Amino acid sequence: LRIVGDITSTGTIEVLGDVEGTLSAHGLVIGGEGRVSGQVSAETVEVKGKLDGRVDSQSFTLRAAAQVAADVTYSTLIIESGAQIEGRFAKSKV
C-alpha cells in the first residue's frame, strides 16, 4: 500500500507500506517493511523500517533494523545496536 498525502489520527498508526507526506498522530510505529517520507509529529515513534524527513516526538525508539535519515527532536531516545542513523538529533527543551 502506498499513500501520498497527509494523515492525522488521535490514536496510534502502524505503517506497513509506504507513506509520503505529513503524518500527525498520538503514536507511530513503522514496521519492518514500512517506509515513511516527510514530516512526522507524534508523542511516541518506534522505527523498525525506514524513515526519511523530519520528526518531532516525545519518545523516539530506533530498533536494530531501522534506517533513519531525518532531523529528530525528542525528549527520550532509545537506539538499538544495528540501527542506521543519518541526520541531526536535538533534545526537546520542554
Side-chain angles (χ1 to χ4, degrees), residues 8-92:
T8 303
S9 173
T10 56
T12 298
I13 295 174
E14 183 171 7
V15 176
L16 301 174
D18 194 355
V19 175
E20 184 178 329
T22 301
L23 200 150
S24 178
H26 175 68
L28 171 65
V29 177
I30 302 174
E33 299 296 317
R35 178 184 163 93
V36 174
S37 298
Q39 182 151 343
V40 172
S41 178
E43 241 178 78
T44 61
V45 177
E46 179 178 355
V47 182
K48 300 173 189 172
K50 296 180 180 181
L51 172 63
D52 298 310
R54 177 176 227 101
V55 179
D56 186 15
S57 69
Q58 294 298 312
S59 173
F60 191 72
T61 303
L62 296 173
R63 298 297 178 199
Q67 296 178 10
V68 175
D71 292 339
V72 180
T73 303
Y74 65 91
S75 292
T76 304
L77 177 65
I78 299 170
I79 303 172
E80 289 184 353
S81 178
Q84 297 178 26
I85 312 163
E86 184 178 325
R88 292 185 296 167
F89 284 74
K91 186 161 173 74
S92 178

